[in-house]
Amino acid sequence: MSETRTKTDLGSMSRAELEDYVRSIGESRFRAAQIADWLRRGVDFPEMTNLPAALRARLAAECESGIPKIEKKLVSAVDGTVKYLFALSDGECVETVVMFYKHGTTACISSQVGCRMGCRFCASTIGGKVRDLRPSEMLGQLTAASRDLGERIDGVVMMGIGEPLDNYENTVKFLHLVTSPDSLNIGARHISVSTSGIVPAIAALEKENLQITLSISLHASNDTRRSALMPVNRKWSIDELLGAAKHYFDATGRRVSVEYTLIAGENDGEDDAKELASLLRRYFARGDALHINLIPVNPVKESGFSAGSRESIEAFRLSLERAGFTATVRRTLGPDISASCGQLRRKRETDNA
């Protein structure tokens, strides 16, 4: 389902498009630079104080900024991770998580309202996909969070609610905008796009000439098990997915990230680790061509899945390391604020049902 709207989406425009727009309504070209400067600071039209009052009123009535409102904000007492539930202009909500590292501040953003991929371990897909996010609504998550925190966001992970490559055109325009000096000017090498495995879109992304990191959500080492966990595998197999990832690496030189959620009794045994290493070796003879990110599964009531012990997780990691791969266990951030994807939005939906 796509969003029905009648307002002009200024937040999704490039500088050239914005200049064309302001000229079309009889304003001088320099107004585009003023508007763009406010938008990248997370400021909506009524607060753009260096614009004439009449122009502000017109923009507020006729245009969209994509900047969301903070519906809920949770701050972890454990590590300072911040989770936002953002309300969009149509009342739908998405989640954004801001994480603080020694090397900078990274935001994990959503690309859709809901998700239609149906992965069994993920809260985001419960209830299906409502609609795609526009580029402005992806940018808006960053600018609204940055303004609220008073922090520059240095990195972006497209691993929140939704499948970015199922919203391909909007995702690519967002990537071009967010890396532009006229916008947030975040370096492409500090941006990661995660996909459950939409193979034709990976091939298309390769041709965009963006130096971003491709993250593939694998989560199983054979088609039988992966198809049971991830319905997308019934359309594009592991062979097709890893073949596309290898081609992406060969074409861009950018190391691929492999996301692997560890689920107790499902895919986290010693044999699973060996099978995973053998599988990846067939496509990536060089261990430094990829990085394996092990993710202890987040408990979601509807799935019934749970993570294994700390010892079993470490044993899985060491098995991959002995096989010549770099593997790390993702640190659990914000455990006290439901920082895993989709849980806060799901709670809002059930509370309002």
mmCIF file with all atom_site columns, all heavy atoms in Angstrom, residues 18 30 33 42 52 63-64 91 101 112 114 135 152 162 174 183 185 188 219 256 267 290 294 331 346:
data_model
loop_
_atom_site.group_PDB
_atom_site.id
_atom_site.type_symbol
_atom_site.label_atom_id
_atom_site.label_alt_id
_atom_site.label_comp_id
_atom_site.label_asym_id
_atom_site.label_entity_id
_atom_site.label_seq_id
_atom_site.pdbx_PDB_ins_code
_atom_site.Cartn_x
_atom_site.Cartn_y
_atom_site.Cartn_z
_atom_site.occupancy
_atom_site.B_iso_or_equiv
_atom_site.pdbx_formal_charge
_atom_site.auth_seq_id
_atom_site.auth_comp_id
_atom_site.auth_asym_id
_atom_site.auth_atom_id
_atom_site.pdbx_PDB_model_num
ATOM 1   N N   . LEU A 1 18  ? 14.591 21.699  -5.295 1.00 0.00 ? 18  LEU A N   1
ATOM 2   C CA  . LEU A 1 18  ? 14.050 22.698  -4.377 1.00 0.00 ? 18  LEU A CA  1
ATOM 3   C C   . LEU A 1 18  ? 14.129 24.095  -4.989 1.00 0.00 ? 18  LEU A C   1
ATOM 4   O O   . LEU A 1 18  ? 13.203 24.915  -4.839 1.00 0.00 ? 18  LEU A O   1
ATOM 5   C CB  . LEU A 1 18  ? 14.820 22.645  -3.055 1.00 0.00 ? 18  LEU A CB  1
ATOM 6   C CG  . LEU A 1 18  ? 14.256 23.398  -1.857 1.00 0.00 ? 18  LEU A CG  1
ATOM 7   C CD1 . LEU A 1 18  ? 12.794 23.045  -1.600 1.00 0.00 ? 18  LEU A CD1 1
ATOM 8   C CD2 . LEU A 1 18  ? 15.097 23.124  -0.619 1.00 0.00 ? 18  LEU A CD2 1
ATOM 9   N N   . PHE A 1 30  ? 17.453 31.994  -3.656 1.00 0.00 ? 30  PHE A N   1
ATOM 10  C CA  . PHE A 1 30  ? 18.169 31.858  -2.386 1.00 0.00 ? 30  PHE A CA  1
ATOM 11  C C   . PHE A 1 30  ? 17.287 31.285  -1.279 1.00 0.00 ? 30  PHE A C   1
ATOM 12  O O   . PHE A 1 30  ? 17.782 30.787  -0.275 1.00 0.00 ? 30  PHE A O   1
ATOM 13  C CB  . PHE A 1 30  ? 18.778 33.194  -1.945 1.00 0.00 ? 30  PHE A CB  1
ATOM 14  C CG  . PHE A 1 30  ? 17.797 34.195  -1.404 1.00 0.00 ? 30  PHE A CG  1
ATOM 15  C CD1 . PHE A 1 30  ? 17.489 34.218  -0.044 1.00 0.00 ? 30  PHE A CD1 1
ATOM 16  C CD2 . PHE A 1 30  ? 17.173 35.119  -2.248 1.00 0.00 ? 30  PHE A CD2 1
ATOM 17  C CE1 . PHE A 1 30  ? 16.595 35.151  0.471  1.00 0.00 ? 30  PHE A CE1 1
ATOM 18  C CE2 . PHE A 1 30  ? 16.276 36.039  -1.745 1.00 0.00 ? 30  PHE A CE2 1
ATOM 19  C CZ  . PHE A 1 30  ? 15.983 36.048  -0.378 1.00 0.00 ? 30  PHE A CZ  1
ATOM 20  N N   . ALA A 1 33  ? 18.090 27.602  -0.457 1.00 0.00 ? 33  ALA A N   1
ATOM 21  C CA  . ALA A 1 33  ? 19.202 27.355  0.465  1.00 0.00 ? 33  ALA A CA  1
ATOM 22  C C   . ALA A 1 33  ? 18.753 27.549  1.912  1.00 0.00 ? 33  ALA A C   1
ATOM 23  O O   . ALA A 1 33  ? 19.149 26.792  2.814  1.00 0.00 ? 33  ALA A O   1
ATOM 24  C CB  . ALA A 1 33  ? 20.371 28.277  0.145  1.00 0.00 ? 33  ALA A CB  1
ATOM 25  N N   . GLY A 1 42  ? 16.398 19.864  11.215 1.00 0.00 ? 42  GLY A N   1
ATOM 26  C CA  . GLY A 1 42  ? 15.210 19.270  11.816 1.00 0.00 ? 42  GLY A CA  1
ATOM 27  C C   . GLY A 1 42  ? 14.158 20.278  12.202 1.00 0.00 ? 42  GLY A C   1
ATOM 28  O O   . GLY A 1 42  ? 13.343 20.028  13.102 1.00 0.00 ? 42  GLY A O   1
ATOM 29  N N   . PRO A 1 52  ? 9.769  34.956  5.223  1.00 0.00 ? 52  PRO A N   1
ATOM 30  C CA  . PRO A 1 52  ? 8.609  35.817  5.484  1.00 0.00 ? 52  PRO A CA  1
ATOM 31  C C   . PRO A 1 52  ? 7.446  34.998  6.045  1.00 0.00 ? 52  PRO A C   1
ATOM 32  O O   . PRO A 1 52  ? 7.267  33.827  5.693  1.00 0.00 ? 52  PRO A O   1
ATOM 33  C CB  . PRO A 1 52  ? 8.264  36.377  4.098  1.00 0.00 ? 52  PRO A CB  1
ATOM 34  C CG  . PRO A 1 52  ? 9.520  36.239  3.293  1.00 0.00 ? 52  PRO A CG  1
ATOM 35  C CD  . PRO A 1 52  ? 10.208 35.029  3.819  1.00 0.00 ? 52  PRO A CD  1
ATOM 36  N N   . CYS A 1 63  ? 2.976  22.088  1.833  1.00 0.00 ? 63  CYS A N   1
ATOM 37  C CA  . CYS A 1 63  ? 4.163  21.237  1.681  1.00 0.00 ? 63  CYS A CA  1
ATOM 38  C C   . CYS A 1 63  ? 4.360  20.288  2.859  1.00 0.00 ? 63  CYS A C   1
ATOM 39  O O   . CYS A 1 63  ? 3.809  20.483  3.942  1.00 0.00 ? 63  CYS A O   1
ATOM 40  C CB  . CYS A 1 63  ? 5.413  22.106  1.519  1.00 0.00 ? 63  CYS A CB  1
ATOM 41  S SG  . CYS A 1 63  ? 5.350  23.201  0.074  1.00 0.00 ? 63  CYS A SG  1
ATOM 42  N N   . GLU A 1 64  ? 5.175  19.267  2.611  1.00 0.00 ? 64  GLU A N   1
ATOM 43  C CA  . GLU A 1 64  ? 5.589  18.290  3.626  1.00 0.00 ? 64  GLU A CA  1
ATOM 44  C C   . GLU A 1 64  ? 7.089  18.440  3.845  1.00 0.00 ? 64  GLU A C   1
ATOM 45  O O   . GLU A 1 64  ? 7.857  18.635  2.900  1.00 0.00 ? 64  GLU A O   1
ATOM 46  C CB  . GLU A 1 64  ? 5.323  16.861  3.134  1.00 0.00 ? 64  GLU A CB  1
ATOM 47  C CG  . GLU A 1 64  ? 3.869  16.535  2.932  1.00 0.00 ? 64  GLU A CG  1
ATOM 48  C CD  . GLU A 1 64  ? 3.301  15.701  4.067  1.00 0.00 ? 64  GLU A CD  1
ATOM 49  O OE1 . GLU A 1 64  ? 3.955  15.649  5.135  1.00 0.00 ? 64  GLU A OE1 1
ATOM 50  O OE2 . GLU A 1 64  ? 2.240  15.122  3.873  1.00 0.00 ? 64  GLU A OE2 1
ATOM 51  N N   . GLY A 1 91  ? -0.036 9.992   11.001 1.00 0.00 ? 91  GLY A N   1
ATOM 52  C CA  . GLY A 1 91  ? -0.357 9.316   12.251 1.00 0.00 ? 91  GLY A CA  1
ATOM 53  C C   . GLY A 1 91  ? 0.290  7.958   12.423 1.00 0.00 ? 91  GLY A C   1
ATOM 54  O O   . GLY A 1 91  ? 0.250  7.389   13.521 1.00 0.00 ? 91  GLY A O   1
ATOM 55  N N   . TYR A 1 101 ? 28.967 5.376   20.280 1.00 0.00 ? 101 TYR A N   1
ATOM 56  C CA  . TYR A 1 101 ? 30.202 4.606   20.273 1.00 0.00 ? 101 TYR A CA  1
ATOM 57  C C   . TYR A 1 101 ? 31.383 5.563   20.428 1.00 0.00 ? 101 TYR A C   1
ATOM 58  O O   . TYR A 1 101 ? 31.242 6.780   20.255 1.00 0.00 ? 101 TYR A O   1
ATOM 59  C CB  . TYR A 1 101 ? 30.356 3.830   18.963 1.00 0.00 ? 101 TYR A CB  1
ATOM 60  C CG  . TYR A 1 101 ? 29.250 2.852   18.661 1.00 0.00 ? 101 TYR A CG  1
ATOM 61  C CD1 . TYR A 1 101 ? 28.215 3.180   17.785 1.00 0.00 ? 101 TYR A CD1 1
ATOM 62  C CD2 . TYR A 1 101 ? 29.232 1.586   19.230 1.00 0.00 ? 101 TYR A CD2 1
ATOM 63  C CE1 . TYR A 1 101 ? 27.202 2.275   17.493 1.00 0.00 ? 101 TYR A CE1 1
ATOM 64  C CE2 . TYR A 1 101 ? 28.227 0.673   18.951 1.00 0.00 ? 101 TYR A CE2 1
ATOM 65  C CZ  . TYR A 1 101 ? 27.216 1.029   18.081 1.00 0.00 ? 101 TYR A CZ  1
ATOM 66  O OH  . TYR A 1 101 ? 26.213 0.130   17.805 1.00 0.00 ? 101 TYR A OH  1
ATOM 67  N N   . GLN A 1 112 ? 10.232 1.547   6.193  1.00 0.00 ? 112 GLN A N   1
ATOM 68  C CA  . GLN A 1 112 ? 8.823  1.309   5.891  1.00 0.00 ? 112 GLN A CA  1
ATOM 69  C C   . GLN A 1 112 ? 8.036  1.351   7.197  1.00 0.00 ? 112 GLN A C   1
ATOM 70  O O   . GLN A 1 112 ? 8.596  1.191   8.289  1.00 0.00 ? 112 GLN A O   1
ATOM 71  C CB  . GLN A 1 112 ? 8.618  -0.068  5.230  1.00 0.00 ? 112 GLN A CB  1
ATOM 72  C CG  . GLN A 1 112 ? 9.268  -0.223  3.866  1.00 0.00 ? 112 GLN A CG  1
ATOM 73  C CD  . GLN A 1 112 ? 9.134  -1.642  3.315  1.00 0.00 ? 112 GLN A CD  1
ATOM 74  O OE1 . GLN A 1 112 ? 9.337  -2.616  4.030  1.00 0.00 ? 112 GLN A OE1 1
ATOM 75  N NE2 . GLN A 1 112 ? 8.788  -1.751  2.043  1.00 0.00 ? 112 GLN A NE2 1
ATOM 76  N N   . GLY A 1 114 ? 5.883  -0.918  9.073  1.00 0.00 ? 114 GLY A N   1
ATOM 77  C CA  . GLY A 1 114 ? 5.648  -2.357  8.990  1.00 0.00 ? 114 GLY A CA  1
ATOM 78  C C   . GLY A 1 114 ? 6.555  -2.990  7.957  1.00 0.00 ? 114 GLY A C   1
ATOM 79  O O   . GLY A 1 114 ? 7.445  -2.345  7.385  1.00 0.00 ? 114 GLY A O   1
ATOM 80  N N   . PRO A 1 135 ? 11.775 9.463   1.070  1.00 0.00 ? 135 PRO A N   1
ATOM 81  C CA  . PRO A 1 135 ? 13.131 9.869   1.455  1.00 0.00 ? 135 PRO A CA  1
ATOM 82  C C   . PRO A 1 135 ? 13.137 10.898  2.582  1.00 0.00 ? 135 PRO A C   1
ATOM 83  O O   . PRO A 1 135 ? 13.962 10.825  3.498  1.00 0.00 ? 135 PRO A O   1
ATOM 84  C CB  . PRO A 1 135 ? 13.700 10.454  0.153  1.00 0.00 ? 135 PRO A CB  1
ATOM 85  C CG  . PRO A 1 135 ? 12.970 9.732   -0.925 1.00 0.00 ? 135 PRO A CG  1
ATOM 86  C CD  . PRO A 1 135 ? 11.579 9.521   -0.395 1.00 0.00 ? 135 PRO A CD  1
ATOM 87  N N   . ARG A 1 152 ? 25.512 15.496  16.489 1.00 0.00 ? 152 ARG A N   1
ATOM 88  C CA  . ARG A 1 152 ? 25.612 15.157  15.072 1.00 0.00 ? 152 ARG A CA  1
ATOM 89  C C   . ARG A 1 152 ? 25.593 13.643  14.935 1.00 0.00 ? 152 ARG A C   1
ATOM 90  O O   . ARG A 1 152 ? 26.265 12.922  15.682 1.00 0.00 ? 152 ARG A O   1
ATOM 91  C CB  . ARG A 1 152 ? 26.897 15.699  14.453 1.00 0.00 ? 152 ARG A CB  1
ATOM 92  C CG  . ARG A 1 152 ? 27.110 15.174  13.021 1.00 0.00 ? 152 ARG A CG  1
ATOM 93  C CD  . ARG A 1 152 ? 28.297 15.779  12.319 1.00 0.00 ? 152 ARG A CD  1
ATOM 94  N NE  . ARG A 1 152 ? 28.652 15.017  11.136 1.00 0.00 ? 152 ARG A NE  1
ATOM 95  C CZ  . ARG A 1 152 ? 28.027 15.078  9.959  1.00 0.00 ? 152 ARG A CZ  1
ATOM 96  N NH1 . ARG A 1 152 ? 26.982 15.875  9.808  1.00 0.00 ? 152 ARG A NH1 1
ATOM 97  N NH2 . ARG A 1 152 ? 28.425 14.350  8.934  1.00 0.00 ? 152 ARG A NH2 1
ATOM 98  N N   . GLY A 1 162 ? 11.087 -2.439  8.442  1.00 0.00 ? 162 GLY A N   1
ATOM 99  C CA  . GLY A 1 162 ? 10.971 -2.457  6.988  1.00 0.00 ? 162 GLY A CA  1
ATOM 100 C C   . GLY A 1 162 ? 12.167 -3.083  6.293  1.00 0.00 ? 162 GLY A C   1
ATOM 101 O O   . GLY A 1 162 ? 13.218 -3.317  6.892  1.00 0.00 ? 162 GLY A O   1
ATOM 102 N N   . PHE A 1 174 ? 17.082 8.560   -0.855 1.00 0.00 ? 174 PHE A N   1
ATOM 103 C CA  . PHE A 1 174 ? 17.544 8.913   0.485  1.00 0.00 ? 174 PHE A CA  1
ATOM 104 C C   . PHE A 1 174 ? 19.059 8.828   0.576  1.00 0.00 ? 174 PHE A C   1
ATOM 105 O O   . PHE A 1 174 ? 19.712 9.728   1.131  1.00 0.00 ? 174 PHE A O   1
ATOM 106 C CB  . PHE A 1 174 ? 16.903 7.988   1.524  1.00 0.00 ? 174 PHE A CB  1
ATOM 107 C CG  . PHE A 1 174 ? 17.639 7.958   2.838  1.00 0.00 ? 174 PHE A CG  1
ATOM 108 C CD1 . PHE A 1 174 ? 17.545 9.014   3.729  1.00 0.00 ? 174 PHE A CD1 1
ATOM 109 C CD2 . PHE A 1 174 ? 18.449 6.875   3.169  1.00 0.00 ? 174 PHE A CD2 1
ATOM 110 C CE1 . PHE A 1 174 ? 18.252 9.001   4.926  1.00 0.00 ? 174 PHE A CE1 1
ATOM 111 C CE2 . PHE A 1 174 ? 19.154 6.845   4.363  1.00 0.00 ? 174 PHE A CE2 1
ATOM 112 C CZ  . PHE A 1 174 ? 19.054 7.920   5.247  1.00 0.00 ? 174 PHE A CZ  1
ATOM 113 N N   . SER A 1 183 ? 22.891 18.365  2.082  1.00 0.00 ? 183 SER A N   1
ATOM 114 C CA  . SER A 1 183 ? 22.005 17.772  3.079  1.00 0.00 ? 183 SER A CA  1
ATOM 115 C C   . SER A 1 183 ? 22.818 17.437  4.326  1.00 0.00 ? 183 SER A C   1
ATOM 116 O O   . SER A 1 183 ? 23.510 18.299  4.856  1.00 0.00 ? 183 SER A O   1
ATOM 117 C CB  . SER A 1 183 ? 21.309 16.532  2.499  1.00 0.00 ? 183 SER A CB  1
ATOM 118 O OG  . SER A 1 183 ? 20.399 15.975  3.417  1.00 0.00 ? 183 SER A OG  1
ATOM 119 N N   . ASN A 1 185 ? 25.347 15.285  4.636  1.00 0.00 ? 185 ASN A N   1
ATOM 120 C CA  . ASN A 1 185 ? 26.770 15.088  4.320  1.00 0.00 ? 185 ASN A CA  1
ATOM 121 C C   . ASN A 1 185 ? 27.403 13.971  5.159  1.00 0.00 ? 185 ASN A C   1
ATOM 122 O O   . ASN A 1 185 ? 28.517 14.098  5.654  1.00 0.00 ? 185 ASN A O   1
ATOM 123 C CB  . ASN A 1 185 ? 27.536 16.395  4.517  1.00 0.00 ? 185 ASN A CB  1
ATOM 124 C CG  . ASN A 1 185 ? 28.885 16.392  3.808  1.00 0.00 ? 185 ASN A CG  1
ATOM 125 O OD1 . ASN A 1 185 ? 29.070 15.702  2.808  1.00 0.00 ? 185 ASN A OD1 1
ATOM 126 N ND2 . ASN A 1 185 ? 29.829 17.154  4.323  1.00 0.00 ? 185 ASN A ND2 1
ATOM 127 N N   . ALA A 1 188 ? 29.330 7.982   2.810  1.00 0.00 ? 188 ALA A N   1
ATOM 128 C CA  . ALA A 1 188 ? 28.714 6.722   2.370  1.00 0.00 ? 188 ALA A CA  1
ATOM 129 C C   . ALA A 1 188 ? 29.330 5.517   3.065  1.00 0.00 ? 188 ALA A C   1
ATOM 130 O O   . ALA A 1 188 ? 28.642 4.521   3.323  1.00 0.00 ? 188 ALA A O   1
ATOM 131 C CB  . ALA A 1 188 ? 28.843 6.582   0.851  1.00 0.00 ? 188 ALA A CB  1
ATOM 132 N N   . HIS A 1 219 ? 21.027 -15.741 8.443  1.00 0.00 ? 219 HIS A N   1
ATOM 133 C CA  . HIS A 1 219 ? 20.314 -16.401 9.551  1.00 0.00 ? 219 HIS A CA  1
ATOM 134 C C   . HIS A 1 219 ? 20.159 -17.918 9.442  1.00 0.00 ? 219 HIS A C   1
ATOM 135 O O   . HIS A 1 219 ? 19.573 -18.535 10.330 1.00 0.00 ? 219 HIS A O   1
ATOM 136 C CB  . HIS A 1 219 ? 18.935 -15.766 9.774  1.00 0.00 ? 219 HIS A CB  1
ATOM 137 C CG  . HIS A 1 219 ? 18.971 -14.275 9.875  1.00 0.00 ? 219 HIS A CG  1
ATOM 138 N ND1 . HIS A 1 219 ? 19.846 -13.618 10.716 1.00 0.00 ? 219 HIS A ND1 1
ATOM 139 C CD2 . HIS A 1 219 ? 18.264 -13.310 9.227  1.00 0.00 ? 219 HIS A CD2 1
ATOM 140 C CE1 . HIS A 1 219 ? 19.659 -12.297 10.584 1.00 0.00 ? 219 HIS A CE1 1
ATOM 141 N NE2 . HIS A 1 219 ? 18.727 -12.098 9.692  1.00 0.00 ? 219 HIS A NE2 1
ATOM 142 N N   . VAL A 1 256 ? 31.388 -7.049  2.537  1.00 0.00 ? 256 VAL A N   1
ATOM 143 C CA  . VAL A 1 256 ? 29.989 -7.385  2.809  1.00 0.00 ? 256 VAL A CA  1
ATOM 144 C C   . VAL A 1 256 ? 29.846 -7.796  4.277  1.00 0.00 ? 256 VAL A C   1
ATOM 145 O O   . VAL A 1 256 ? 30.716 -8.468  4.834  1.00 0.00 ? 256 VAL A O   1
ATOM 146 C CB  . VAL A 1 256 ? 29.521 -8.533  1.888  1.00 0.00 ? 256 VAL A CB  1
ATOM 147 C CG1 . VAL A 1 256 ? 28.127 -9.022  2.268  1.00 0.00 ? 256 VAL A CG1 1
ATOM 148 C CG2 . VAL A 1 256 ? 29.560 -8.079  0.430  1.00 0.00 ? 256 VAL A CG2 1
ATOM 149 N N   . ASN A 1 267 ? 19.541 -22.786 14.967 1.00 0.00 ? 267 ASN A N   1
ATOM 150 C CA  . ASN A 1 267 ? 20.639 -22.539 14.027 1.00 0.00 ? 267 ASN A CA  1
ATOM 151 C C   . ASN A 1 267 ? 21.946 -22.220 14.731 1.00 0.00 ? 267 ASN A C   1
ATOM 152 O O   . ASN A 1 267 ? 22.838 -21.605 14.135 1.00 0.00 ? 267 ASN A O   1
ATOM 153 C CB  . ASN A 1 267 ? 20.276 -21.384 13.091 1.00 0.00 ? 267 ASN A CB  1
ATOM 154 C CG  . ASN A 1 267 ? 20.127 -20.052 13.821 1.00 0.00 ? 267 ASN A CG  1
ATOM 155 O OD1 . ASN A 1 267 ? 20.212 -19.996 15.050 1.00 0.00 ? 267 ASN A OD1 1
ATOM 156 N ND2 . ASN A 1 267 ? 19.894 -18.993 13.080 1.00 0.00 ? 267 ASN A ND2 1
ATOM 157 N N   . LEU A 1 290 ? 34.401 -10.325 3.856  1.00 0.00 ? 290 LEU A N   1
ATOM 158 C CA  . LEU A 1 290 ? 33.144 -10.181 4.581  1.00 0.00 ? 290 LEU A CA  1
ATOM 159 C C   . LEU A 1 290 ? 33.382 -10.178 6.077  1.00 0.00 ? 290 LEU A C   1
ATOM 160 O O   . LEU A 1 290 ? 34.430 -10.573 6.563  1.00 0.00 ? 290 LEU A O   1
ATOM 161 C CB  . LEU A 1 290 ? 32.137 -11.266 4.196  1.00 0.00 ? 290 LEU A CB  1
ATOM 162 C CG  . LEU A 1 290 ? 32.512 -12.742 4.345  1.00 0.00 ? 290 LEU A CG  1
ATOM 163 C CD1 . LEU A 1 290 ? 32.317 -13.209 5.779  1.00 0.00 ? 290 LEU A CD1 1
ATOM 164 C CD2 . LEU A 1 290 ? 31.623 -13.589 3.435  1.00 0.00 ? 290 LEU A CD2 1
ATOM 165 N N   . LEU A 1 294 ? 27.168 -11.708 14.457 1.00 0.00 ? 294 LEU A N   1
ATOM 166 C CA  . LEU A 1 294 ? 26.292 -12.651 15.157 1.00 0.00 ? 294 LEU A CA  1
ATOM 167 C C   . LEU A 1 294 ? 25.376 -11.887 16.111 1.00 0.00 ? 294 LEU A C   1
ATOM 168 O O   . LEU A 1 294 ? 25.841 -11.064 16.909 1.00 0.00 ? 294 LEU A O   1
ATOM 169 C CB  . LEU A 1 294 ? 27.131 -13.675 15.920 1.00 0.00 ? 294 LEU A CB  1
ATOM 170 C CG  . LEU A 1 294 ? 28.095 -14.512 15.073 1.00 0.00 ? 294 LEU A CG  1
ATOM 171 C CD1 . LEU A 1 294 ? 28.969 -15.389 15.969 1.00 0.00 ? 294 LEU A CD1 1
ATOM 172 C CD2 . LEU A 1 294 ? 27.330 -15.370 14.066 1.00 0.00 ? 294 LEU A CD2 1
ATOM 173 N N   . ARG A 1 331 ? 26.792 -6.400  20.403 1.00 0.00 ? 331 ARG A N   1
ATOM 174 C CA  . ARG A 1 331 ? 26.502 -6.007  21.776 1.00 0.00 ? 331 ARG A CA  1
ATOM 175 C C   . ARG A 1 331 ? 25.024 -5.680  21.909 1.00 0.00 ? 331 ARG A C   1
ATOM 176 O O   . ARG A 1 331 ? 24.443 -5.008  21.058 1.00 0.00 ? 331 ARG A O   1
ATOM 177 C CB  . ARG A 1 331 ? 27.353 -4.781  22.134 1.00 0.00 ? 331 ARG A CB  1
ATOM 178 C CG  . ARG A 1 331 ? 27.177 -4.271  23.540 1.00 0.00 ? 331 ARG A CG  1
ATOM 179 C CD  . ARG A 1 331 ? 28.373 -3.391  23.905 1.00 0.00 ? 331 ARG A CD  1
ATOM 180 N NE  . ARG A 1 331 ? 28.558 -2.275  22.993 1.00 0.00 ? 331 ARG A NE  1
ATOM 181 C CZ  . ARG A 1 331 ? 28.141 -1.025  23.260 1.00 0.00 ? 331 ARG A CZ  1
ATOM 182 N NH1 . ARG A 1 331 ? 27.503 -0.763  24.380 1.00 0.00 ? 331 ARG A NH1 1
ATOM 183 N NH2 . ARG A 1 331 ? 28.370 -0.060  22.394 1.00 0.00 ? 331 ARG A NH2 1
ATOM 184 N N   . ARG A 1 346 ? 4.959  -2.088  17.951 1.00 0.00 ? 346 ARG A N   1
ATOM 185 C CA  . ARG A 1 346 ? 4.005  -3.190  18.181 1.00 0.00 ? 346 ARG A CA  1
ATOM 186 C C   . ARG A 1 346 ? 3.205  -2.973  19.454 1.00 0.00 ? 346 ARG A C   1
ATOM 187 O O   . ARG A 1 346 ? 2.005  -3.188  19.483 1.00 0.00 ? 346 ARG A O   1
ATOM 188 C CB  . ARG A 1 346 ? 4.782  -4.523  18.250 1.00 0.00 ? 346 ARG A CB  1
ATOM 189 C CG  . ARG A 1 346 ? 3.929  -5.746  18.520 1.00 0.00 ? 346 ARG A CG  1
ATOM 190 C CD  . ARG A 1 346 ? 3.002  -6.050  17.379 1.00 0.00 ? 346 ARG A CD  1
ATOM 191 N NE  . ARG A 1 346 ? 2.197  -7.230  17.635 1.00 0.00 ? 346 ARG A NE  1
ATOM 192 C CZ  . ARG A 1 346 ? 1.078  -7.537  16.993 1.00 0.00 ? 346 ARG A CZ  1
ATOM 193 N NH1 . ARG A 1 346 ? 0.630  -6.741  16.042 1.00 0.00 ? 346 ARG A NH1 1
ATOM 194 N NH2 . ARG A 1 346 ? 0.410  -8.622  17.275 1.00 0.00 ? 346 ARG A NH2 1
#
